[in-house]
Amino acid sequence: MKKSIAIDMDQVLADFYKKLRATYNENFGTSFTDEEFLLTTQRDLPKEDAKKLFELINEPDYFRDLELLDPDAIEVIQELQEHYEIFIATAAMDVPGSFNAKYDWLMQYLPFLKTQNIVFCGNKAVIHTDYLIDDSPDQLAAFKGTGIMYAMPYNATVEGFERVNNWQEVRAYFMGQVNQ
């Protein structure tokens, strides 16, 4: 029986923060660069600004045109699928208006994936795969299997998880597991 891998969507497959930064700059008169924005994700917004930003990202098409975070991701997932059962586990409950757009994005980039292997969830503690690749320390901490931290500037100081910086490192890690 194949081992299983769950893969987060935002900031592991899709470049959510690039679009979020552009949306934030456009609507709040700021001029964050991509790097600055990734390092300042914990900023405190006034309540009204936070509400407006949520409304903007909760628009039905917001997630549909996100860029692929790493061009190697698709090829690596296809290769891993030969050895592992692959699932996409995205915390879509955080932005309930995103379901259709996230599904369309996944079908555009991963048309070879079984649709039954797409999981829209909140807390990923409900995911019972062998591995989870995620950028969120909270999601990885709740997960019961082996958590793999997809490195981002905002999780650089988090310890306790295997770390990968890109999809070539994901390939090396999991293909190394197959050959053991």
Side-chain angles (χ1 to χ4, degrees), residues 86-102:
I86 304 295
F87 294 84
I88 303 301
T90 183
M93 299 311 296
D94 294 340
V95 186
S98 70
F99 289 104
N100 290 338
K102 283 188 171 204

Side-chain angles (χ1 to χ4, degrees), residues 119-129 139 142-144:
V119 182
F120 292 107
C121 59
N123 184 326
K124 293 180 186 167
V126 302
I127 303 299
H128 295 289
T129 54
Q139 293 290 12
F143 179 67
K144 309 249 183 317

Side-chain angles (χ1 to χ4, degrees), residues 6 9 29 31 42 61 65 78 86 101 104 108 110 115 140 173:
M9 181 177 160
S31 57
Q42 300 302 316
D61 289 328
D65 64 352
Q78 286 177 307
I86 304 295
D104 290 345
Q108 175 185 344
L110 304 169
T115 55
L140 290 170
Y173 178 86

Side-chain angles (χ1 to χ4, degrees), residues 23-159:
T23 301
Y24 190 85
N25 284 344
E26 181 181 317
N27 287 277
F28 297 96
T30 57
S31 57
F32 284 109
T33 65
D34 284 341
E35 185 176 334
E36 289 169 336
F37 193 75
L38 281 169
L39 290 169
T40 57
T41 57
Q42 300 302 316
R43 69 194 150 279
D44 292 327
L45 289 176
K47 226 177 197 177
E48 283 304 308
D49 290 354
K51 182 179 176 186
K52 180 179 180 182
L53 186 60
F54 178 78
E55 288 170 0
L56 291 166
I57 68 172
N58 200 40
E59 286 293 317
D61 289 328
Y62 190 83
F63 286 79
R64 186 168 278 121
D65 64 352
L66 298 179
E67 293 179 19
L68 192 60
L69 185 67
D70 180 337
D72 293 328
I74 306 308
E75 177 184 317
V76 172
I77 292 170
Q78 286 177 307
E79 183 178 338
L80 292 178
Q81 209 171 222
E82 296 173 20
H83 305 280
Y84 296 90
E85 184 78 12
I86 304 295
F87 294 84
I88 303 301
T90 183
M93 299 311 296
D94 294 340
V95 186
S98 70
F99 289 104
N100 290 338
K102 283 188 171 204
Y103 179 83
D104 290 345
W105 190 94
L106 289 165
M107 290 298 93
Q108 175 185 344
Y109 286 98
L110 304 169
F112 54 86
L113 193 69
K114 296 181 218 168
T115 55
Q116 296 85 356
N117 288 21
I118 298 172
V119 182
F120 292 107
C121 59
N123 184 326
K124 293 180 186 167
V126 302
I127 303 299
H128 295 289
T129 54
D130 296 297
Y131 301 93
L132 171 63
I133 306 169
D134 208 304
D135 64 307
S136 168
D138 293 338
Q139 293 290 12
L140 290 170
F143 179 67
K144 309 249 183 317
T146 301
I148 310 293
M149 176 74 70
Y150 197 91
M152 285 288 152
Y154 49 82
N155 65 32
T157 61
V158 176
E159 296 179 0

